[in-house]
Amino acid sequence: MFANLLAIFLTVFLAELGDKTQLATVLFAADRQVHPLLVFTAAALALVASTALAVAAGTLLSRYMAFVPLKLIAGIGFVAIGCWTIYGHFQGA
């Protein structure tokens, strides 16, 4: 159980580092007119809400798509997004 919790935590934590959401949070926190605690609370609640939607969707999909290799599909999706990002980088160069 602890190993699963740790794996999920590390995966989500590392995936969130440096993404657009974190950069937006940094920009909000840099605004001196907004209290840092407000930025933290709003960002944390937004992450909790989006995670709740993802868990609900995953739970619902698992009931109807038990035979589909979801990890494989997700992996292919991440690789495709990575290739698209690399392609876009070289197109802009």
Side-chain angles (χ1 to χ4, degrees), residues 46-77:
L47 183 58
V48 167
S50 66
T51 302
L53 286 174
V55 170
T59 301
L60 184 65
L61 286 174
S62 72
R63 291 182 185 157
Y64 300 105
M65 300 179 68
F67 59 92
V68 177
L70 294 178
K71 287 184 181 180
L72 176 63
I73 293 170
I76 291 170

Side-chain angles (χ1 to χ4, degrees), residues 19-86:
D19 74 344
K20 291 181 278 186
T21 305
Q22 189 178 38
L23 296 175
T25 304
V26 168
L27 292 175
F28 281 120
D31 185 352
R32 293 180 184 255
Q33 296 177 356
V34 181
H35 194 279
L37 188 57
L38 179 67
V39 175
F40 173 78
T41 302
L45 289 173
L47 183 58
V48 167
S50 66
T51 302
L53 286 174
V55 170
T59 301
L60 184 65
L61 286 174
S62 72
R63 291 182 185 157
Y64 300 105
M65 300 179 68
F67 59 92
V68 177
L70 294 178
K71 287 184 181 180
L72 176 63
I73 293 170
I76 291 170
F78 277 112
V79 169
I81 290 169
C83 291
W84 181 38
T85 302
I86 292 169

